[in-house]
Amino acid sequence: MGVIKVKNPRTGAYDYEIMPPNEKELNAIAGRLRKAQPAWEAQGPEARGAVLLKFAEALANNRDDLIACLTQDTGRHFISMVEVDGAIGAIKRWAAAAPALMESAKDTGHSTAMPHLAFKTNLRAYGLVGCISPWNFPLTLSLIDAVPALMAGCAVLLKPSEVTSRFAAPLQGALTEVPELEAVFDIVLGAGETGAQLVNAVDAICFTGSVATGRKVGAAAADAFIPAFLELGGKDPAIVLPSADLERAATALLRGSIANTGQACQSIERIYVHASIADAFEALLVEKAGAVTLNAENMSQGQLGPFIFEQQACIVESQIEDAKSKGARVLAGGAIEDHGGKWLKPTVLADVTQDMAVMTQETFGPVLPLTRFDDVGEAVAAA
């Protein structure tokens, strides 16, 4: 396994590289974490929460470096600030909430099938939890499973996406400020091969990412006979009814479709519009989409950043071309722009049908496919 070169999403240049561990090195890290885990679990949730609060403080100490690296990773600045501040807040919330949550999960009672049998719950942490996170929100989704697992008493081994690896250095730097947490939490960098090795080194695996990769992780976890927690992509629908405030609906659905350049699993990716209001809604949506600007020339100006992963731009482009070839009309946007990295202005598609990839496959880009309906029941069923 050799060096992996990382591309800058704004310039298109390979300006960073990572060296994945080999399997022996990864297993050694896993063994060290697993050895430290029992003492970590034995501290209890309140003590673990106090350590996590130190970690939140360490992230705050490294805030500027984290934001700078996330900005390079993703080609966006404002959301990078939101990620760091949001992660600090999430850690504080888990530290406060976890003790009561764990206490409430303890249960006692009698079996309903055999009333003479009594039971009580004994909570035990998984020794080592693996977390594989994606590139669209690198810090947020690296910690979204790691922090609650740590609060539960698990040790955690994190593998962020190889597409966005720069932020791992200041994250590791923050960890070194909290030695008691560093003993049970570590980061390895690498691509799919490293992720596959990780599954075989842990007691439970948490994965956030695409359906295709999630299937592979789930199958590997089943083969290793460990639990898998999978948060995968979606194809989220919206229905616009005749009673809707069209101005607000157009604004909300545009924002819901293009936030983070559409690179979010909860992005609105299908819009069903009642035929009686479709013309008016389309006109509003096209007007609002046309007012959105790119941040290609200046990151501090413009609302839309680049595709973080260049391959995603190719996927989105192929879906747009498929829709056009089957009769869809492009009302706004529609063309990938090359400014070193890849950008796409908000793309509104009309006359979209269910046989088009843009309606059946995750897009993960700023694309708003519109289809009309007459019967609300049919729209709900389609959604």
Side-chain angles (χ1 to χ4, degrees):
M1 196 184 302
V3 168
I4 297 175
K5 295 186 180 297
V6 181
K7 184 175 284 191
N8 186 307
R10 293 189 64 81
T11 66
Y14 290 96
D15 59 3
Y16 192 74
E17 58 184 36
I18 58 174
M19 173 59 80
N22 60 39
E23 189 168 11
K24 182 178 179 181
E25 291 168 335
L26 188 148
N27 287 337
I29 295 169
R32 174 179 60 78
L33 296 173
R34 197 187 298 279
K35 186 176 180 180
Q37 184 271 332
W40 173 249
E41 183 179 6
Q43 290 184 39
E46 288 82 4
R48 292 194 295 272
V51 174
L52 265 293
L53 289 177
K54 292 181 185 178
F55 182 50
E57 186 176 339
L59 288 180
N61 294 340
N62 290 269
R63 181 178 185 272
D64 291 345
D65 286 344
L66 279 164
I67 291 171
C69 288
L70 285 167
T71 299
Q72 283 187 293
D73 276 330
T74 62
R76 67 193 186 209
H77 182 65
F78 176 73
I79 294 178
S80 297
M81 295 171 60
V82 171
E83 278 205 75
V84 176
D85 294 339
I88 293 169
I91 291 169
K92 292 178 179 179
R93 288 193 299 275
W94 274 113
L101 286 171
M102 294 179 68
E103 189 63 33
S104 69
K106 296 177 181 178
D107 195 13
T108 59
H110 286 78
S111 166
T112 54
M114 302 180 188
H116 60 285
L117 293 181
F119 67 86
K120 66 177 181 178
T121 305
N122 180 30
L123 301 179
R124 291 301 306 273
Y126 289 103
L128 179 59
V129 172
C131 296
I132 300 175
S133 59
W135 45 259
N136 56 325
F137 292 97
L139 179 63
T140 300
L141 297 180
S142 286
L143 298 181
I144 197 168
D145 294 312
V147 169
L150 289 163
M151 278 302 307
C154 311
V156 172
L157 185 52
L158 165 68
K159 190 203 84 66
S161 170
E162 72 279 11
V163 176
T164 49
S165 298
R166 295 168 180 84
F167 83 100
L171 179 60
Q172 192 86 56
L175 266 177
T176 62
E177 296 181 25
V178 191
E180 54 267 64
L181 186 63
E182 191 180 23
V184 289
F185 184 22
D186 208 344
I187 305 165
V188 292
L189 301 179
E193 186 177 351
T194 303
Q197 293 170 357
L198 180 65
V199 173
N200 290 321
V202 298
D203 303 308
I205 189 73
C206 301
F207 171 82
T208 305
S210 71
V211 171
T213 305
R215 289 185 192 279
K216 295 177 183 178
V217 172
D223 189 55
F225 219 63
I226 63 171
F229 303 89
L230 309 177
E231 198 278 294
L232 310 180
K235 193 68 186 169
D236 295 351
I239 300 174
V240 186
L241 300 173
S243 59
D245 179 331
L246 297 191
E247 182 76 31
R248 293 183 67 191
T251 297
L253 296 186
L254 179 66
R255 288 178 63 89
S257 295
I258 72 169
N260 196 35
T261 315
Q263 299 166 124
C265 59
Q266 76 275 23
S267 293
I268 296 298
E269 293 206 357
R270 296 177 289 151
I271 302 176
Y272 300 91
V273 187
H274 194 273
S276 66
I277 56 168
D279 288 343
F281 179 79
E282 284 180 6
L284 278 170
L285 198 58
V286 169
E287 177 188 353
K288 292 175 183 292
V292 175
T293 56
L294 306 180
N295 76 350
E297 292 187 12
N298 186 333
M299 196 186 304
S300 64
Q301 298 176 1
Q303 295 90 29
L304 221 56
F307 283 97
I308 297 169
F309 187 28
E310 188 172 298
Q311 183 179 327
Q312 196 63 41
C314 299
I315 293 170
V316 173
E317 186 174 41
S318 70
Q319 289 190 9
I320 293 171
E321 291 305 313
D322 171 74
K324 288 164 60 179
S325 72
K326 294 174 180 175
R329 291 181 295 121
V330 178
L331 303 184
I336 301 290
E337 298 185 22
D338 191 327
H339 301 278
K342 306 293 184 183
W343 275 260
L344 176 65
K345 290 178 180 175
T347 296
V348 181
L349 301 176
D351 300 336
V352 175
T353 54
Q354 203 62 32
D355 63 336
M356 298 174 184
V358 76
M359 287 294 280
T360 58
Q361 299 173 16
E362 186 173 34
T363 301
F364 229 59
V367 180
L368 299 88
L370 304 176
T371 188
R372 302 183 180 205
F373 69 88
D374 293 303
D375 179 76
V376 173
E378 291 177 1
V380 171

